[in-house]
Amino acid sequence: MYLSLDIETQGLEIDTEIHFIGVYSINSKGKELFEMFQMPKDLAKFRIFIQNRLAKKDKFILQNGKFDAVRILFSYGIDIPIHHDTMYLGYLLSTVTELKEHKYDKWLSLKTMAQRYLGVEDWDVDKKTKTSTKASDVEEYLRKDCKYTYDLFMFFKERLPKKKFNTYKLMLKLANCYKYIEVNGVPIDKELLSITKDAYTKECLRVKELLKKNGEINYNSPKQLQELLFEKLGLPIVSYTASGQPSTGVETLKELQDTHPICKQLLELRMLEKALSFLKDWDEKAILHEDGYYYIHPTFNLHSTVTGRTSSNNPNFQQVPRNKDLKSLYRYPGKEYEFVCADFSQAELRFASLIANVKNMKEAYLNGEDLHTNIAAVVNEIDKKDVTKAMRTAAKAVNFGFLYGMSAESFVSYAKLSYGVTMSLDDAIKFRKHYFDLYPELEDYYDKVDEELWYYGEQTSVMGRSYTIDIDDYHDRYKHEKIRRAAINFPVQSAASDYVLCALYNVMTHPTLKEKVKVCGTVHDSIIMLVKKDEDFESNLYLIQETMQYPPLAKEYLTIDIDIPIVVDVEVGPFGKGVSIEEYLKSEEK
C-alpha cells in the first residue's frame, strides 16, 4: 500500500516545531483515507502508526521528502523511509531547458507540479493558516498537500522512462543517506568561531578607516564607487556591466590592484565582509547537541543541478571561502571522534580521461604522475623538475579551464579570478594550443557530444544519468553555443559526482564502518565525517579510503571499465587544516 506523508511546521530550520503530520492513502476498495496527527500531543499514536505501517511493508511517498523525514527524525527519533519522492520524479522528467529557465524549487514545487500535470487549482493558503496550531485551520490544506502528492506519484510512475529508473533509485538511496547526514550535523567550535568573528570585525573596521581617506562614500554602492574610482581617482575602465556601466566587481579590482592602493583595500574589505557573513550565519544556526557540542545542519540538495552534483544551503556548507581560518572552525572538540575529510583527487580530470579515452592523461595517472606538473612543463616548454609552485598553480587553471573547451579569451579572466594568475591573451592562446596538442582526444569528445545533441537532443553519462534538452533550442544558432558548452561539462561532472555519491552510500552502509563513522556532509568531491577513536581507528581510516576508491555500488551503474587508479586523499583533523593519515599517526605516537 502506498501512503503519502506531509508535515506542517512553524518554520524551516531543522529544529523547528512540527504542528501536524498528515497521511493519505487509497485502500483496495478505492476509498480515500486521511489521518492527521497533532504534534506533540499525538506523538505516541503516530509512533505506533508508523511501526504498524512499516511492519506491513507499506511504501511512503513524499514531496521533497528529506525535509519532512529529517525534521521528524531530529525531533522525535522516528525514521520515515523515503520510498518515493515526487520532487525527484519531476526533476527527472524535466528537460535541462525547463530546469534552467525556471527556478528549480518553483518548477518542482508540489503546487506548481500539481497544477501543471494534474490540472488542479491552486490550494495555497496564507502563512498564518499554514503555521496555525488549530487542527480546523490546517486540516483541509494538509489533506490536499497529501492527496496531490499521492496523485502526482501515480501520474509520474507511469511516465518515468525505464532508462531513468536507475538514476531515480540512486537518488532515493542518497536521500535516505543525507537524511541521517543532515540530522548528524557538522561540529563547529563555537568558542573559536566567536574569537574569529571578533577578529574579522576589527579587521573590517581597520580597512574601512583606510578607505575613508579616499572619501566618505558608501563603498557597497556601485554608483558611488564608480564615481570615486573612475572620475575622482581617474583609474582606467577595464570592463563594463551588462547594463553598460563601468564594472567595480572583483575581477575588475584584481586587474586594477597594482594601479592604486584602494583596489587592494576594496578586495580585502569584500573578502572580510564575505567571511563575516558566513561567520554570522554559522553563529546563528549552530545548535547545541546533547553531547555538549555545537553543530550546524546544512540541507543537501540532489535536484538543484542538471548534472546531479549536490548543492547545500541553510547554511551553504559547500561554498565556504578558501580560508583556513574559517574552514578549520569545523572540528570535533571532544575525544570520542576525530574529524576526517576524504577527498577524491582530481575526480573530474580522471573521469574525463576515461570518458574521452585521453591517452596521455591515462598514462600519466597509470604512472602516478601529477597532471598539473605535467601540463605546466608542457606549456612552459621546460623539464618537469623545473616546474615552480606558481607554474603548477597556473597549470591548474589550464587543466580545469580548458577541460570543457573554454576559449582563450574567457580563460584570461577565468585564470585571474579563480586562481589569481595574470596571463596575456597571447599566452592563453599558446597554452590552449599546447593543451589540445597533448590531449587531442578531448576535441573528438566535444564533437561526439555535439552530434548526439544535434540529432537526439539527449546524452547519457557512463553512470546512466540522462541529459535531455529542447532540440529546437539546440538548432537555434543564438542558443546553440551556450547549450553546447554546458553539455560538454555534463558527461564528466555528472559521472564523477555520481561516483562520489556511490562511495558515500557504501561508506554509510558498510557493515564495519556504519557503526564507527558519522558522515556530516559532502563538499563536491569530498566526504566529511567523524570517525570513532578506538582500537580500530587506523584500520577504519584505510577501510574508508579503500571503499571510496572503488565503491561496489558504482559497479552497478558504470558502463565503462575503470582502467586508471582512482585516488582518495584522507586528511585527519580540523577541516582545511587536516594532515595525512601517516602524519596524524606519527603525531599521535609522540
Side-chain angles (χ1 to χ4, degrees), residues 67-180:
F67 179 91
D68 303 62
V70 163
R71 279 143 192 80
I72 292 171
L73 182 58
F74 185 86
S75 295
Y76 308 124
I78 299 172
D79 192 352
I80 308 293
I82 306 168
H83 292 119
H84 291 285
D85 194 315
T86 49
M87 183 175 69
Y88 295 159
L89 287 165
Y91 166 81
L92 290 171
L93 282 164
S94 299
T95 66
V96 172
T97 307
E98 288 168 335
L99 291 171
K100 286 189 171 182
E101 288 187 355
H102 305 274
K103 288 185 177 179
Y104 283 78
D105 291 338
K106 183 73 173 172
W107 178 255
L108 300 174
S109 74
L110 174 62
K111 292 174 183 63
T112 302
M113 290 197 297
Q115 290 174 73
R116 187 165 69 246
Y117 294 116
L118 304 178
V120 302
E121 293 184 2
D122 187 5
W123 67 96
D124 203 6
V125 294
D126 58 76
K127 185 178 179 181
K128 184 179 179 182
T129 302
K130 287 180 191 177
T131 56
S132 173
T133 56
K134 289 177 62 178
S136 58
D137 288 344
V138 178
E139 184 172 6
E140 183 57 18
Y141 174 75
L142 181 55
R143 188 189 74 81
K144 286 184 176 179
D145 275 357
C146 292
K147 170 181 166 50
Y148 293 133
T149 297
Y150 185 97
D151 291 348
L152 266 178
F153 171 70
M154 293 302 169
F155 176 87
F156 284 146
K157 81 183 185 78
E158 301 299 327
R159 290 164 175 80
L160 184 69
K162 286 186 178 180
K163 62 186 174 183
K164 296 194 176 186
F165 280 5
N166 277 347
T167 301
Y168 180 53
K169 286 192 290 185
L170 179 63
M171 292 181 77
L172 292 173
K173 286 179 186 290
L174 270 299
N176 283 291
C177 285
Y178 276 108
K179 175 177 61 180
Y180 304 124

Side-chain angles (χ1 to χ4, degrees), residues 169-178 181 498-511 513-514 519 522 527 547-548 551-554 556-557:
K169 286 192 290 185
L170 179 63
M171 292 181 77
L172 292 173
K173 286 179 186 290
L174 270 299
N176 283 291
C177 285
Y178 276 108
I181 291 170
D498 281 343
Y499 194 88
V500 174
L501 292 176
C502 286
L504 173 67
Y505 175 82
N506 282 129
V507 167
M508 293 187 68
T509 58
H510 193 287
L513 296 174
K514 66 182 180 181
V519 176
T522 53
I527 299 176
T547 303
M548 286 177 62
L553 183 61
E556 297 179 24
Y557 290 86

Side-chain angles (χ1 to χ4, degrees), residues 318-574:
Q318 296 189 339
Q319 298 295 331
V320 178
R322 293 177 183 175
N323 180 326
K324 289 188 176 183
D325 288 344
L326 269 62
K327 279 190 170 184
S328 62
L329 294 175
Y330 290 104
R331 60 178 72 205
Y332 183 73
K335 295 181 178 179
E336 186 181 359
Y337 293 90
E338 187 58 84
F339 198 93
V340 173
C341 175
D343 175 61
F344 281 87
S345 171
Q346 300 176 10
E348 288 189 29
L349 287 172
R350 288 177 197 271
F351 269 89
S353 77
L354 290 166
I355 292 162
N357 198 23
V358 185
K359 181 174 179 268
N360 285 332
M361 265 192 196
K362 291 173 83 170
E363 282 185 359
Y365 283 129
L366 286 166
N367 294 330
E369 297 171 9
D370 175 54
L371 246 63
H372 301 319
T373 300
N374 284 6
I375 200 68
V378 170
V379 298
N380 288 287
E381 300 174 356
I382 59 173
D383 195 272
K384 291 176 190 176
K385 64 179 172 46
D386 297 322
V387 170
T388 65
K389 186 176 179 181
M391 288 176 182
R392 188 180 180 278
T393 299
K396 276 190 179 182
V398 171
N399 271 322
F400 293 119
F402 293 140
L403 179 62
Y404 301 119
M406 184 181 286
S407 69
E409 290 80 6
S410 298
F411 179 75
V412 172
S413 58
Y414 167 80
K416 180 78 173 178
L417 196 59
S418 299
Y419 292 90
V421 174
T422 303
M423 189 175 296
S424 69
L425 179 57
D426 286 344
D427 279 343
I429 292 169
K430 182 183 78 170
F431 283 11
R432 193 179 194 279
K433 182 180 183 306
H434 280 314
Y435 185 83
F436 288 107
D437 283 347
L438 185 62
Y439 305 135
E441 297 91 343
L442 284 173
E443 292 189 300
D444 294 334
Y445 157 70
Y446 303 156
D447 292 340
K448 181 175 178 288
V449 170
D450 190 36
E451 186 176 339
E452 287 176 355
L453 291 177
W454 184 266
Y455 290 107
Y456 308 111
E458 187 174 44
Q459 55 183 320
T460 303
S461 81
V462 296
M463 292 289 286
R465 189 183 287 265
S466 293
Y467 183 93
T468 310
I469 63 165
D470 184 330
I471 200 164
D472 290 336
D473 282 349
Y474 203 62
H475 293 166
D476 184 328
R477 62 176 178 163
Y478 298 107
K479 298 179 180 178
H480 176 89
E481 191 55 35
K482 184 178 180 181
I483 297 172
R484 179 180 179 271
R485 285 198 305 270
I488 285 169
N489 170 287
F490 169 78
V492 175
Q493 190 177 95
S494 175
S497 173
D498 281 343
Y499 194 88
V500 174
L501 292 176
C502 286
L504 173 67
Y505 175 82
N506 282 129
V507 167
M508 293 187 68
T509 58
H510 193 287
T512 299
L513 296 174
K514 66 182 180 181
E515 301 300 328
K516 302 293 183 76
V517 174
K518 288 184 181 179
V519 176
C520 305
T522 53
V523 179
H524 305 314
D525 300 329
S526 302
I527 299 176
I528 314 300
M529 61 198 95
L530 297 179
V531 180
K532 196 171 186 64
K533 287 199 72 176
D534 58 15
E535 66 278 3
D536 299 318
F537 179 67
E538 180 180 347
S539 62
N540 285 337
L541 290 177
Y542 288 112
L543 184 55
I544 288 166
Q545 189 176 46
E546 179 187 336
T547 303
M548 286 177 62
Q549 285 173 169
Y550 303 103
L553 183 61
K555 294 176 183 177
E556 297 179 24
Y557 290 86
L558 278 166
T559 57
I560 59 170
D561 292 327
I562 303 288
D563 57 0
I564 60 167
I566 301 296
V567 176
V568 171
D569 298 318
V570 177
E571 292 190 346
V572 188

